[in-house]
């Protein structure tokens, strides 16, 4: 039986890079998207061209009822996921006095509540399958060290780290590992409008990262060689922290 991996936020950026990397590694993939069906379909077609079995799921990770309904139905029809990559997330950056309640709530509901919303319907089926498994959540260097203009985002990403460290303790005896990957500045749509030349001066390696450099770490954490790695936060940041 092939190992099936759910990837949230798989239509673009790091999520797409993860999907393509894992397709080459021979996993079956469940590709989540929220609204951009054209980008999601493009990812799906690229993944299938690499020989992987894959399907799309559409839901808003901030909507608890919708997320549970879609994931539970898919698990009932196709079986439990062996791996879950919680990648989907948003930013709404501003200096703290300019972050209104809606900006705070939207980022926290999407990034942190979204982690719960995705994992909660999936964990018991994963345990019941008795095959072990992998859970990997995308945090950020902002969640590790903080960042100006990202109080809401940093709070959500730090919360992900705390949640995963706790969940790792609960699932270790089930041979399910739980880890966080904390990217630095990676070339994606989310960083397209940032002053990259200024940011690169802050990074010891003097460049931004590639999505594939994050995807390769995730592929390693999914591998048999990483079966003894759990409760860790591993950063891909060019020496930023």
């Amino acid at each position: 039986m092939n190992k099936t991996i759910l990837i949230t936020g798989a239509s673009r950026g790091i999520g797409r890079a993860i999907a393509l990397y894992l397709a080459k590694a021979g996993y079956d993939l469940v590709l989540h998207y929220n609204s951009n069906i054209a980008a999601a379909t493009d990812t799906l077609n690229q993944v299938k061209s690499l020989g992987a079995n894959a399907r799309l799921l559409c839901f808003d990770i901030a909507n608890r009822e919708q997320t549970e309904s879609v994931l539970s139905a898919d698990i009932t029809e196709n079986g439990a996921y062996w791996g879950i990559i919680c990648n989907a997330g948003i930013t709404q950056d501003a200096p703290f006095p300019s972050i209104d309640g809606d900006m705070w709530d939207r980022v926290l509901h999407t990034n942190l509540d979204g982690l719960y919303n995705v994992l909660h319907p999936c964990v018991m089926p994963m345990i019941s399958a008795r095959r072990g498994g992998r859970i990997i959540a995308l945090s950020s260097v902002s969640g590790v060290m903080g960042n100006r203009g990202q109080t809401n985002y940093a709070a959500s990403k730090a919360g992900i780290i705390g949640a995963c460290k706790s969940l790792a303790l609960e699932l270790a005896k089930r041979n399910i590992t739980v880890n966080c990957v904390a990217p630095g500045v990676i070339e994606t749509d989310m960083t397209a409008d940032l002053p990259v030349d200024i940011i690169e001066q802050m990074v010891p390696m003097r460049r931004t990262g590639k999505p594939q450099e994050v995807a390769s770490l995730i592929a390693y954490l999914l591998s048999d060689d990483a079966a003894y790695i759990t409760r860790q936060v591993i950063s891909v940041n060019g020496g930023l922290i």
Side-chain angles (χ1 to χ4, degrees):
M1 181 183 295
N2 283 351
K3 294 173 178 177
T4 300
I5 312 295
L6 168 67
I7 307 168
T8 67
S11 60
R12 298 180 298 169
I14 292 174
R16 174 178 285 187
I18 294 168
L20 296 175
Y21 210 103
L22 298 186
K24 294 174 186 175
Y27 293 99
D28 291 343
L29 302 177
V30 181
L31 308 175
H32 156 264
Y33 71 101
N34 181 16
S35 58
N36 194 338
I37 189 171
T41 301
D42 185 36
T43 301
L44 178 68
N45 291 337
Q46 290 187 52
V47 161
K48 287 186 172 181
S49 74
L50 295 170
N53 295 318
R55 60 185 180 272
L56 294 178
L57 290 182
C58 179
F59 55 88
D60 178 1
I61 65 169
N63 184 323
R64 183 165 299 159
E65 291 75 18
Q66 182 190 46
T67 300
E68 181 176 6
S69 176
V70 173
L71 289 175
S72 294
D74 189 63
I75 291 169
T76 297
E77 182 175 351
N78 298 290
Y81 310 125
W82 183 83
I84 304 166
I85 314 298
C86 292
N87 166 72
I90 64 169
T91 59
Q92 283 200 309
D93 297 348
F96 183 74
S98 299
I99 295 177
D100 61 29
D102 287 340
M103 293 169 68
W104 180 272
D105 290 345
R106 186 170 180 229
V107 170
L108 268 292
H109 288 328
T110 302
N111 296 353
L112 186 53
D113 292 355
L115 179 80
Y116 171 87
N117 296 344
V118 169
L119 292 181
H120 198 259
C122 299
V123 166
M124 275 310 302
M126 182 184 285
I127 291 171
S128 298
R130 299 179 182 274
R131 297 180 65 206
R134 304 281 190 271
I135 294 171
I136 303 168
L138 274 290
S139 180
S140 167
V141 293
S142 292
V144 178
M145 69 178 193
N147 194 27
R148 288 185 179 90
Q150 289 194 318
T151 307
N152 50 0
Y153 184 72
S156 70
K157 292 299 187 175
I160 285 171
I161 290 172
C164 286
K165 283 183 173 287
S166 297
L167 185 58
L169 291 174
E170 296 184 19
L171 297 181
K173 65 183 178 182
R174 309 287 186 174
N175 291 319
I176 299 170
T177 67
V178 186
N179 292 290
C180 286
V181 171
V185 185
I186 308 297
E187 294 176 14
T188 67
D189 292 347
M190 289 180 71
T191 61
D193 296 328
L194 297 178
V196 173
D197 55 337
I198 296 174
I199 291 171
E200 286 178 345
Q201 294 305 308
M202 301 169 57
V203 179
M205 293 192 73
R206 294 295 189 267
R207 68 173 179 88
T208 54
K210 310 276 187 198
Q212 296 84 350
E213 293 173 312
V214 179
S216 65
L217 171 59
I218 288 171
Y220 170 70
L221 290 173
L222 289 171
S223 72
D224 291 342
D225 289 338
Y228 201 55
I229 299 173
T230 195
R231 208 182 176 205
Q232 303 305 303
V233 181
I234 306 173
S235 199
V236 184
N237 62 39
L240 187 61
I241 58 171

Coordinates of all heavy atoms in Angstrom, one line a residue, residues 101-180:
G101 N -8.5 44.4 14.9 CA -9.0 43.1 15.4 C -9.2 42.1 14.2 O -8.9 40.9 14.4
D102 N -9.7 42.6 13.1 CA -9.9 41.6 12.0 C -8.6 41.1 11.5 O -8.6 39.9 11.1 CB -10.7 42.4 10.9 CG -12.2 42.6 11.2 OD1 -12.7 41.9 12.1 OD2 -12.8 43.5 10.6
M103 N -7.6 41.9 11.4 CA -6.3 41.4 10.9 C -5.7 40.4 11.8 O -5.1 39.4 11.4 CB -5.3 42.6 10.7 CG -5.7 43.6 9.6 SD -4.8 45.1 9.6 CE -3.1 44.5 9.2
W104 N -5.8 40.7 13.1 CA -5.3 39.7 14.1 C -6.1 38.4 14.0 O -5.5 37.3 13.9 CB -5.5 40.3 15.5 CG -5.0 39.4 16.6 CD1 -5.7 38.4 17.2 CD2 -3.7 39.3 17.1 NE1 -5.0 37.8 18.2 CE2 -3.7 38.3 18.1 CE3 -2.5 40.0 16.9 CZ2 -2.5 37.9 18.8 CZ3 -1.4 39.6 17.6 CH2 -1.4 38.6 18.5
D105 N -7.4 38.5 14.0 CA -8.3 37.3 14.0 C -8.1 36.4 12.8 O -8.0 35.2 12.8 CB -9.7 37.7 14.2 CG -10.1 38.2 15.6 OD1 -9.3 38.0 16.5 OD2 -11.2 38.8 15.7
R106 N -8.0 37.1 11.6 CA -7.9 36.4 10.4 C -6.6 35.6 10.3 O -6.6 34.4 9.9 CB -8.0 37.3 9.2 CG -8.0 36.6 7.8 CD -8.3 37.5 6.7 NE -8.4 36.7 5.5 CZ -7.7 37.0 4.3 NH1 -7.0 38.1 4.3 NH2 -7.8 36.3 3.3
V107 N -5.5 36.2 10.7 CA -4.2 35.4 10.7 C -4.2 34.3 11.7 O -3.8 33.2 11.4 CB -3.1 36.4 10.9 CG1 -1.7 35.7 11.1 CG2 -2.9 37.4 9.7
L108 N -4.7 34.6 12.9 CA -4.7 33.5 14.0 C -5.7 32.4 13.6 O -5.4 31.2 13.8 CB -5.0 34.1 15.3 CG -3.9 34.6 16.2 CD1 -3.0 33.4 16.7 CD2 -3.0 35.6 15.5
H109 N -6.9 32.8 13.1 CA -7.8 31.8 12.8 C -7.3 30.9 11.6 O -7.6 29.7 11.6 CB -9.2 32.4 12.4 CG -9.9 33.0 13.5 ND1 -9.9 32.4 14.8 CD2 -10.8 34.0 13.6 CE1 -10.6 33.1 15.6 NE2 -11.2 34.1 14.9
T110 N -6.7 31.5 10.6 CA -6.2 30.7 9.5 C -5.0 29.9 9.9 O -5.0 28.7 9.6 CB -5.9 31.6 8.3 OG1 -7.0 32.4 8.0 CG2 -5.4 30.8 7.1
N111 N -4.0 30.5 10.4 CA -2.7 29.8 10.6 C -2.7 28.9 11.8 O -2.3 27.7 11.7 CB -1.6 30.8 10.8 CG -1.4 31.7 9.6 OD1 -2.0 31.4 8.5 ND2 -0.5 32.7 9.7
L112 N -3.2 29.3 13.0 CA -3.2 28.5 14.2 C -4.4 27.6 14.3 O -4.3 26.4 14.5 CB -3.0 29.4 15.4 CG -2.8 28.7 16.7 CD1 -1.7 27.7 16.7 CD2 -2.5 29.7 17.9
D113 N -5.6 28.3 14.3 CA -6.8 27.4 14.3 C -6.9 26.5 13.1 O -7.4 25.3 13.3 CB -8.1 28.3 14.2 CG -8.3 29.2 15.5 OD1 -7.5 29.0 16.4 OD2 -9.2 30.0 15.5
G114 N -6.3 26.9 12.0 CA -6.3 26.0 10.8 C -5.5 24.7 11.1 O -5.8 23.7 10.6
L115 N -4.4 24.8 11.9 CA -3.7 23.6 12.2 C -4.6 22.6 13.0 O -4.6 21.4 12.6 CB -2.5 24.0 13.1 CG -1.6 22.8 13.6 CD1 -0.7 22.4 12.5 CD2 -0.9 23.2 14.9
Y116 N -5.3 23.1 13.9 CA -6.3 22.3 14.7 C -7.3 21.7 13.7 O -7.7 20.5 13.8 CB -6.9 23.0 15.8 CG -8.1 22.3 16.5 CD1 -7.8 21.4 17.5 CD2 -9.4 22.5 16.0 CE1 -8.9 20.7 18.1 CE2 -10.4 21.8 16.6 CZ -10.2 20.9 17.7 OH -11.2 20.2 18.2
N117 N -7.9 22.6 12.9 CA -9.0 22.2 12.1 C -8.6 21.1 11.1 O -9.4 20.2 10.8 CB -9.5 23.4 11.3 CG -10.1 24.5 12.2 OD1 -10.4 24.2 13.3 ND2 -10.2 25.7 11.6
V118 N -7.4 21.1 10.6 CA -6.9 20.1 9.7 C -6.5 18.8 10.4 O -6.9 17.7 10.0 CB -5.7 20.6 8.9 CG1 -5.0 19.5 8.1 CG2 -6.2 21.7 7.9
L119 N -5.8 18.9 11.5 CA -5.3 17.7 12.2 C -6.3 17.0 13.0 O -6.3 15.7 13.0 CB -4.1 18.1 13.1 CG -2.8 18.6 12.5 CD1 -1.8 18.9 13.5 CD2 -2.3 17.6 11.5
H120 N -7.3 17.7 13.5 CA -8.2 17.0 14.4 C -9.0 15.9 13.8 O -9.2 14.8 14.3 CB -9.2 18.0 15.1 CG -9.8 17.5 16.3 ND1 -11.1 17.0 16.3 CD2 -9.4 17.3 17.6 CE1 -11.5 16.6 17.5 NE2 -10.4 16.7 18.3
P121 N -9.5 16.1 12.5 CA -10.2 14.9 11.9 C -9.3 13.8 11.4 O -9.8 12.8 11.1 CB -11.0 15.6 10.7 CG -10.8 17.1 10.8 CD -9.6 17.3 11.7
C122 N -8.0 14.1 11.3 CA -7.1 13.2 10.7 C -6.3 12.3 11.7 O -5.9 11.2 11.3 CB -6.1 13.9 9.9 SG -6.8 14.9 8.5
V123 N -6.1 12.8 12.9 CA -5.2 12.1 13.8 C -5.8 10.7 14.3 O -5.0 9.7 14.2 CB -4.9 13.0 15.0 CG1 -4.2 12.1 16.1 CG2 -3.9 14.1 14.6
M124 N -7.0 10.6 14.7 CA -7.6 9.4 15.1 C -7.6 8.3 14.0 O -7.2 7.1 14.3 CB -8.9 9.5 15.8 CG -8.9 9.9 17.2 SD -7.8 8.9 18.3 CE -8.6 7.2 18.0
P125 N -8.0 8.6 12.8 CA -7.9 7.6 11.7 C -6.4 7.2 11.5 O -6.1 6.0 11.2 CB -8.4 8.4 10.5 CG -9.4 9.4 11.1 CD -8.8 9.8 12.4
M126 N -5.5 8.1 11.6 CA -4.1 7.8 11.5 C -3.6 6.8 12.6 O -2.9 5.8 12.3 CB -3.2 9.1 11.5 CG -1.7 8.9 11.3 SD -0.8 10.4 11.5 CE -1.2 11.2 10.0
I127 N -4.0 7.1 13.8 CA -3.7 6.2 14.9 C -4.4 4.8 14.7 O -3.7 3.7 14.8 CB -4.2 6.8 16.2 CG1 -3.4 8.0 16.6 CG2 -4.2 5.7 17.4 CD1 -3.9 8.8 17.8
S128 N -5.6 4.8 14.3 CA -6.4 3.5 14.1 C -5.8 2.7 13.0 O -5.9 1.5 13.0 CB -7.8 3.8 13.8 OG -8.4 4.5 14.9
A129 N -5.2 3.3 12.0 CA -4.6 2.6 10.9 C -3.3 1.8 11.3 O -2.9 0.8 10.6 CB -4.2 3.5 9.8
R130 N -2.7 2.1 12.4 CA -1.6 1.4 13.0 C -0.4 1.2 12.0 O 0.2 0.2 11.9 CB -2.0 0.0 13.5 CG -3.1 0.1 14.6 CD -3.5 -1.3 15.1 NE -4.5 -1.2 16.1 CZ -4.3 -1.1 17.4 NH1 -3.0 -1.0 17.9 NH2 -5.3 -1.0 18.3
R131 N -0.2 2.3 11.2 CA 0.9 2.3 10.3 C 2.0 3.3 10.6 O 2.9 3.5 9.9 CB 0.4 2.6 8.9 CG -0.6 1.6 8.3 CD -1.0 2.0 6.9 NE 0.1 1.9 6.0 CZ 0.2 2.7 4.9 NH1 -0.8 3.5 4.6 NH2 1.2 2.6 4.1
G132 N 1.9 3.9 11.8 CA 2.8 5.0 12.1 C 2.4 6.2 11.2 O 1.3 6.3 10.7
G133 N 3.3 7.2 11.0 CA 3.0 8.3 10.2 C 3.8 9.5 10.5 O 4.7 9.5 11.3
R134 N 3.6 10.6 9.7 CA 4.3 11.8 9.8 C 3.4 13.0 9.8 O 2.5 13.1 9.0 CB 5.3 11.9 8.7 CG 6.3 10.8 8.5 CD 7.4 10.9 9.5 NE 8.5 10.0 9.1 CZ 8.5 8.7 9.6 NH1 7.6 8.2 10.4 NH2 9.5 7.9 9.2
I135 N 3.6 13.9 10.7 CA 2.9 15.2 10.7 C 4.0 16.3 10.7 O 4.9 16.3 11.5 CB 2.0 15.4 11.9 CG1 0.9 14.4 11.9 CG2 1.5 16.9 12.0 CD1 0.0 14.4 13.2
I136 N 3.9 17.2 9.7 CA 4.9 18.2 9.5 C 4.2 19.5 9.4 O 3.3 19.6 8.5 CB 5.9 18.0 8.4 CG1 6.6 16.7 8.5 CG2 6.9 19.1 8.2 CD1 7.3 16.2 7.2
A137 N 4.4 20.5 10.2 CA 3.8 21.8 10.1 C 4.8 22.9 9.7 O 5.9 22.9 10.3 CB 3.1 22.2 11.4
L138 N 4.4 23.8 8.9 CA 5.2 24.9 8.5 C 5.0 26.0 9.5 O 3.9 26.6 9.6 CB 4.9 25.3 7.0 CG 5.5 24.6 5.9 CD1 7.0 25.0 5.8 CD2 5.3 23.1 5.9
S139 N 6.1 26.3 10.2 CA 6.1 27.5 11.1 C 6.9 28.6 10.3 O 6.7 28.7 9.1 CB 6.8 27.2 12.4 OG 6.8 28.3 13.2
S140 N 7.7 29.3 10.9 CA 8.5 30.4 10.3 C 9.5 30.9 11.2 O 9.4 30.7 12.4 CB 7.5 31.5 9.9 OG 8.2 32.7 9.6
V141 N 10.6 31.5 10.6 CA 11.6 32.1 11.5 C 10.9 33.2 12.4 O 11.3 33.5 13.5 CB 12.7 32.7 10.7 CG1 13.6 31.6 10.1 CG2 12.3 33.7 9.7
S142 N 9.8 33.8 11.9 CA 9.1 34.8 12.6 C 8.5 34.2 13.9 O 8.4 34.9 14.9 CB 7.9 35.4 11.8 OG 8.5 36.2 10.7
G143 N 8.1 32.9 13.9 CA 7.6 32.3 15.0 C 8.7 31.9 16.0 O 8.4 31.6 17.2
V144 N 9.9 31.9 15.6 CA 11.0 31.5 16.5 C 11.7 32.8 17.1 O 11.9 32.8 18.3 CB 12.1 30.7 15.7 CG1 13.3 30.4 16.5 CG2 11.5 29.5 15.1
M145 N 11.8 33.8 16.3 CA 12.6 35.0 16.8 C 11.8 36.3 16.7 O 12.2 37.3 17.2 CB 13.8 35.2 15.9 CG 13.6 35.7 14.5 SD 15.2 35.9 13.6 CE 14.6 36.8 12.2
G146 N 10.5 36.2 16.2 CA 9.7 37.5 16.0 C 10.2 38.3 14.8 O 11.3 38.0 14.3
N147 N 9.4 39.2 14.4 CA 9.8 40.1 13.3 C 8.9 41.3 13.3 O 7.7 41.3 13.6 CB 9.6 39.3 12.0 CG 10.2 40.0 10.8 OD1 11.2 40.7 11.0 ND2 9.7 39.8 9.6
R148 N 9.5 42.4 13.0 CA 8.8 43.7 13.0 C 7.6 43.6 12.0 O 7.8 43.1 10.9 CB 9.7 44.9 12.5 CG 10.7 45.3 13.6 CD 11.5 46.5 13.1 NE 12.5 47.0 14.0 CZ 13.7 46.6 14.1 NH1 14.1 45.6 13.3 NH2 14.5 47.0 15.0
G149 N 6.5 44.2 12.4 CA 5.4 44.2 11.5 C 4.6 42.9 11.3 O 3.7 42.8 10.5
Q150 N 5.0 41.9 12.1 CA 4.4 40.6 12.0 C 4.0 40.0 13.3 O 4.0 38.8 13.6 CB 5.3 39.6 11.3 CG 5.6 39.9 9.8 CD 6.2 38.7 9.1 OE1 7.1 38.1 9.6 NE2 5.7 38.4 7.9
T151 N 3.5 40.9 14.2 CA 3.1 40.4 15.5 C 2.0 39.3 15.4 O 2.1 38.3 16.1 CB 2.5 41.5 16.4 OG1 3.5 42.6 16.4 CG2 2.3 41.1 17.8
N152 N 1.0 39.5 14.6 CA 0.0 38.5 14.4 C 0.5 37.2 13.8 O 0.2 36.1 14.3 CB -1.2 39.1 13.6 CG -0.8 39.7 12.3 OD1 0.4 39.8 11.9 ND2 -1.7 40.2 11.5
Y153 N 1.3 37.3 12.7 CA 1.9 36.2 12.0 C 2.8 35.4 13.0 O 2.8 34.2 13.1 CB 2.6 36.7 10.8 CG 3.2 35.6 9.9 CD1 2.3 34.7 9.2 CD2 4.5 35.4 9.8 CE1 2.8 33.8 8.3 CE2 5.1 34.4 9.0 CZ 4.2 33.6 8.3 OH 4.7 32.6 7.5
A154 N 3.7 36.2 13.7 CA 4.6 35.5 14.6 C 3.9 34.8 15.7 O 4.3 33.7 16.1 CB 5.6 36.6 15.2
A155 N 2.8 35.4 16.2 CA 2.1 34.7 17.3 C 1.5 33.4 16.8 O 1.5 32.4 17.4 CB 1.0 35.6 17.8
S156 N 0.9 33.4 15.5 CA 0.3 32.2 15.0 C 1.4 31.1 14.8 O 1.2 29.9 15.0 CB -0.4 32.5 13.7 OG 0.5 32.9 12.6
K157 N 2.6 31.5 14.3 CA 3.6 30.5 13.9 C 4.3 30.0 15.2 O 4.7 28.9 15.2 CB 4.6 31.2 13.0 CG 4.0 31.4 11.6 CD 3.5 30.2 10.9 CE 3.1 30.4 9.5 NZ 2.8 29.1 8.8
A158 N 4.4 30.8 16.2 CA 4.9 30.4 17.5 C 3.9 29.4 18.1 O 4.3 28.4 18.8 CB 5.2 31.5 18.4
G159 N 2.6 29.7 18.0 CA 1.6 28.8 18.5 C 1.7 27.4 17.9 O 1.5 26.4 18.5
I160 N 2.0 27.4 16.6 CA 2.1 26.1 15.8 C 3.3 25.3 16.4 O 3.1 24.1 16.6 CB 2.3 26.4 14.3 CG1 1.0 26.8 13.7 CG2 2.9 25.2 13.6 CD1 1.2 27.3 12.3
I161 N 4.4 25.9 16.8 CA 5.5 25.2 17.4 C 5.1 24.6 18.7 O 5.3 23.4 19.0 CB 6.7 26.2 17.6 CG1 7.3 26.6 16.2 CG2 7.7 25.5 18.5 CD1 8.3 27.6 16.3
G162 N 4.4 25.4 19.6 CA 4.0 24.8 20.9 C 3.0 23.7 20.7 O 3.1 22.6 21.4
A163 N 2.1 23.8 19.8 CA 1.1 22.7 19.6 C 1.8 21.5 19.1 O 1.5 20.3 19.5 CB 0.0 23.2 18.6
C164 N 2.7 21.6 18.1 CA 3.4 20.4 17.6 C 4.3 19.7 18.6 O 4.4 18.5 18.6 CB 4.2 20.8 16.3 SG 3.1 21.2 14.9
K165 N 4.9 20.5 19.4 CA 5.8 19.9 20.5 C 4.9 19.1 21.4 O 5.3 18.0 21.9 CB 6.6 21.0 21.2 CG 7.8 21.5 20.4 CD 8.6 22.5 21.2 CE 9.9 22.9 20.5 NZ 10.9 21.8 20.5
S166 N 3.8 19.6 21.8 CA 2.9 18.8 22.6 C 2.3 17.6 21.9 O 2.2 16.5 22.5 CB 1.7 19.7 23.1 OG 2.2 20.8 23.9
L167 N 1.9 17.8 20.7 CA 1.3 16.7 19.9 C 2.3 15.6 19.7 O 2.0 14.4 19.8 CB 0.7 17.1 18.6 CG 0.0 16.1 17.8 CD1 -1.2 15.5 18.5 CD2 -0.5 16.8 16.4
A168 N 3.6 15.9 19.5 CA 4.6 15.0 19.3 C 4.7 14.0 20.5 O 5.0 12.8 20.4 CB 6.0 15.7 19.1
L169 N 4.6 14.6 21.7 CA 4.6 13.8 23.0 C 3.5 12.8 23.0 O 3.7 11.6 23.4 CB 4.6 14.7 24.2 CG 5.8 15.5 24.5 CD1 5.5 16.4 25.7 CD2 7.0 14.7 24.7
E170 N 2.3 13.2 22.6 CA 1.2 12.3 22.6 C 1.2 11.2 21.6 O 0.7 10.1 21.8 CB -0.1 13.1 22.4 CG -0.4 14.1 23.5 CD -1.7 14.9 23.3 OE1 -2.6 14.4 22.5 OE2 -1.9 16.0 23.8
L171 N 1.9 11.4 20.4 CA 1.8 10.5 19.3 C 3.1 9.6 19.2 O 3.1 8.7 18.4 CB 1.5 11.2 18.0 CG 0.2 12.0 17.9 CD1 0.0 12.6 16.6 CD2 -1.0 11.0 18.2
A172 N 4.1 9.9 20.0 CA 5.4 9.2 19.8 C 5.2 7.7 19.9 O 5.8 6.9 19.2 CB 6.4 9.8 20.8
K173 N 4.5 7.3 20.9 CA 4.3 5.8 21.1 C 3.5 5.2 20.0 O 3.5 3.9 19.9 CB 3.7 5.6 22.5 CG 2.2 6.1 22.6 CD 1.7 5.8 24.0 CE 0.2 6.3 24.1 NZ -0.3 6.1 25.5
R174 N 2.9 6.0 19.2 CA 2.2 5.4 18.0 C 3.1 5.4 16.8 O 2.6 5.1 15.7 CB 1.0 6.3 17.7 CG 0.0 6.5 18.9 CD -0.7 5.3 19.3 NE -1.7 5.6 20.3 CZ -2.6 4.8 20.8 NH1 -2.7 3.6 20.3 NH2 -3.5 5.1 21.8
N175 N 4.3 5.7 16.9 CA 5.3 5.8 15.8 C 4.8 6.9 14.8 O 5.1 6.7 13.6 CB 5.5 4.5 15.1 CG 6.2 3.5 16.0 OD1 7.2 3.9 16.7 ND2 5.8 2.2 16.1
I176 N 4.2 7.9 15.3 CA 3.9 9.1 14.5 C 4.7 10.2 14.9 O 4.7 10.6 16.1 CB 2.4 9.4 14.6 CG1 1.5 8.3 14.2 CG2 2.0 10.7 13.8 CD1 0.0 8.5 14.5
T177 N 5.6 10.7 14.0 CA 6.4 11.8 14.4 C 5.8 13.1 14.0 O 4.9 13.2 13.1 CB 7.8 11.8 13.6 OG1 7.6 12.0 12.2 CG2 8.5 10.4 13.8
V178 N 6.1 14.2 14.8 CA 5.5 15.5 14.6 C 6.6 16.5 14.7 O 7.3 16.6 15.7 CB 4.4 15.8 15.7 CG1 3.8 17.2 15.4 CG2 3.4 14.7 15.8
N179 N 6.9 17.2 13.6 CA 7.9 18.2 13.6 C 7.5 19.5 12.9 O 6.5 19.5 12.2 CB 9.1 17.6 12.8 CG 9.8 16.5 13.5 OD1 10.5 16.7 14.5 ND2 9.6 15.3 13.0
C180 N 8.2 20.6 13.1 CA 8.0 21.8 12.5 C 9.2 22.2 11.6 O 10.3 21.9 11.9 CB 7.8 23.0 13.5 SG 6.3 23.0 14.4

